[in-house]
Amino acid sequence: MERGGGEDKRVVGGLAGVVGTMRASGTGNREAVMPGTAITVRVPATSANLGAGFDCLGLALDMFASVTVTFSEAEQPPTEDVGEKMVLSAVRHAYQRLGKPVPGGVRARYQVAIPLGRGLGASAVARVAGVLAVNELERGVFDEQALLDLVSELEGHGDNACPALFGGLQVCVQGGDGHYVRAASRFPADAHIALLIPDHSMPTKEARKALPESYSKADTVHNIGRAALFVAAMASGRMELLAEATDDRVHQRQRAALFPPLFDIFAAARRAGAYAAWLSGAGSSVAAICPEEPARAVANAMLAASKAAGYDGRALVTRIAKEGATVSRVELVGE
Ligand SMILES: Nc1ncnc2c1ncn2[C@@H]1O[C@H](COP(=O)(O)OP(=O)(O)O)[C@@H](O)[C@H]1O
Ligand SMILES: N[C@@H](CCOP(=O)(O)O)C(=O)O
């Protein structure tokens, strides 16, 4: 996690949201900005699991959400917005950890959002935004370990939380003492990620219900080896190993019941030149890793296969983001 270097664009984007959120009423035509602190957090979307690495592998995508969290004295009305609610509950979780009361008025406004329930880590984005905003307001009270723990606890696993905070390709597991343990892996800088983002959502809660309580020894052994192979292949640039490395037995077959063309979409991606494809997080998006040259064709092929089965959506090409979340801060001075 880096602190923002004062990039104008990001700060201005944050401030625009703040002014929209924090206008005081009853001040005539020219509304005043409430005094307070506006913290803008820029967080990457993430793709988790990466085939066989269920709940432990994830990577940051070069697609960033931007959320401004404002803290003021004034009580704020309750929100019905799903994203804002998740940010605010992360703020409460962080203050609970500090043993301090939550400041009176907190709002969260998205300038750029990641679509919900598409397996792109939108819930991790919201939770990272809430936790980092508190950390900034409280002058860096949490270290990296505490930040990872706070976000992963809310998520229930660290595979989106970790790359959303720190960027890149990450392995993250919960240790026996409850703390999350992470290691970043190298990855080829020129790898491209083609994404199919279907119009339908697959809420993570529902997609986890599709999974069995236990697995056979054969399936467990199958996945352990492949999750390890994925990291070794990425670290050494041996992309030809990724097809085998993403062959999963723990969640994708089971989740295909919720998105039947899933394996046809994988096959279309491979035919178009992808090294490998996987269900992104709990779905519904599908990610394919490929060289730059066929990346657009891979994205189009996945969209065509999905549409052919009656599932519309959109396709795009992005890359793995090296950097994770960044923070900028503006003090709002009232009149
Ligand atoms: N289609 C939808 N409409 C409204 N809210 C949704 C939808 N899909 C998911 N959500 C909600 O959005 C939040 C984040 O979604 P989640 O399923 O955790 O997936 P992800 O993190 O992949 O976006 C959850 O609170 C979930 O209930
Ligand atoms: N390992 C989790 C990942 C969920 O990711 P999301 O982006 O769909 O929230 C799972 O597979 O359930």
Side-chain angles (χ1 to χ4, degrees):
M1 196 271 302
E2 297 164 11
R3 203 173 181 289
E7 291 165 33
D8 286 345
K9 201 170 140 212
R10 228 172 43 231
V11 175
V12 169
L15 196 55
V18 171
V19 173
T21 306
M22 299 293 296
R23 284 180 194 284
S25 57
T27 51
N29 286 339
R30 196 164 157 273
E31 290 176 305
V33 172
M34 293 279 216
T37 302
I39 295 163
T40 297
V41 189
R42 190 169 170 268
V43 194
T46 47
S47 182
N49 300 327
L50 315 182
F54 181 71
D55 274 1
C56 66
L57 297 185
L59 53 79
L61 296 166
D62 198 12
M63 293 165 44
F64 283 73
S66 178
V67 186
T68 295
V69 185
T70 53
F71 297 90
S72 71
E73 296 284 305
E75 281 296 332
Q76 298 294 319
T79 178
E80 286 313 311
D81 181 79
V82 176
E84 182 173 27
K85 274 189 190 166
M86 281 193 297
V87 177
L88 299 186
S89 82
V91 167
R92 284 194 294 275
H93 185 63
Y95 271 106
Q96 202 171 28
R97 183 61 42 87
L98 291 177
K100 284 175 76 169
V102 182
V106 191
R107 293 303 307 259
R109 172 71 62 94
Y110 284 73
Q111 281 78 44
V112 183
I114 301 295
L116 296 172
R118 303 298 197 283
L120 297 173
S123 58
V125 163
R127 287 157 176 159
V128 166
V131 168
L132 287 187
V134 172
N135 191 48
E136 177 63 31
L137 192 70
E138 299 294 334
R139 304 287 177 192
V141 67
F142 298 119
D143 61 12
E144 285 192 354
Q145 181 66 58
L147 293 172
L148 179 62
D149 286 345
L150 282 164
V151 180
S152 303
E153 284 158 15
L154 287 163
E155 288 277 289
H157 36 86
D159 51 354
N160 295 105
C162 186
L165 279 166
F166 306 115
L169 169 61
Q170 299 276 349
V171 186
C172 185
V173 299
Q174 191 173 21
D177 61 0
H179 292 295
Y180 285 78
V181 179
R182 75 171 178 113
S185 166
R186 293 169 66 88
F187 58 87
D190 56 353
H192 281 62
I193 304 287
L195 273 185
L196 163 69
I197 308 177
D199 288 343
H200 71 285
S201 68
M202 278 169 65
T204 305
K205 231 182 186 171
E206 301 307 314
R208 290 182 84 84
K209 283 188 196 150
L211 306 183
E213 273 308 306
S214 57
Y215 294 91
S216 70
K217 184 169 153 194
D219 289 351
T220 309
V221 169
H222 181 98
N223 267 58
I224 291 169
R226 281 159 183 79
L229 186 63
F230 188 96
V231 178
M234 290 290 277
S236 58
R238 293 190 59 195
M239 310 305 264
E240 75 282 6
L241 300 178
L242 292 179
E244 191 61 54
T246 50
D247 183 39
D248 156 77
R249 290 191 189 168
V250 164
H251 71 111
Q252 293 187 154
R253 282 263 164 232
Q254 296 83 342
R255 286 170 166 171
L258 303 170
F259 189 17
L262 183 61
F263 283 81
D264 293 339
I265 296 168
F266 291 168
R270 294 291 315 283
R271 278 196 304 275
Y275 300 120
W278 58 82
L279 181 69
S280 185
S284 55
S285 296
V286 180
I289 188 161
C290 37
E292 180 172 9
E293 172 29 37
R296 283 168 168 270
V298 169
N300 276 324
M302 292 198 293
L303 182 57
S306 188
K307 277 184 169 174
Y311 293 86
D312 210 342
R314 62 207 160 98
L316 53 88
V317 174
T318 183
R319 299 177 71 152
I320 303 172
K322 274 203 190 88
E323 76 276 23
T326 56
V327 179
S328 61
R329 173 180 183 138
V330 172
E331 298 300 337
L332 303 172
V333 180
E335 292 178 312

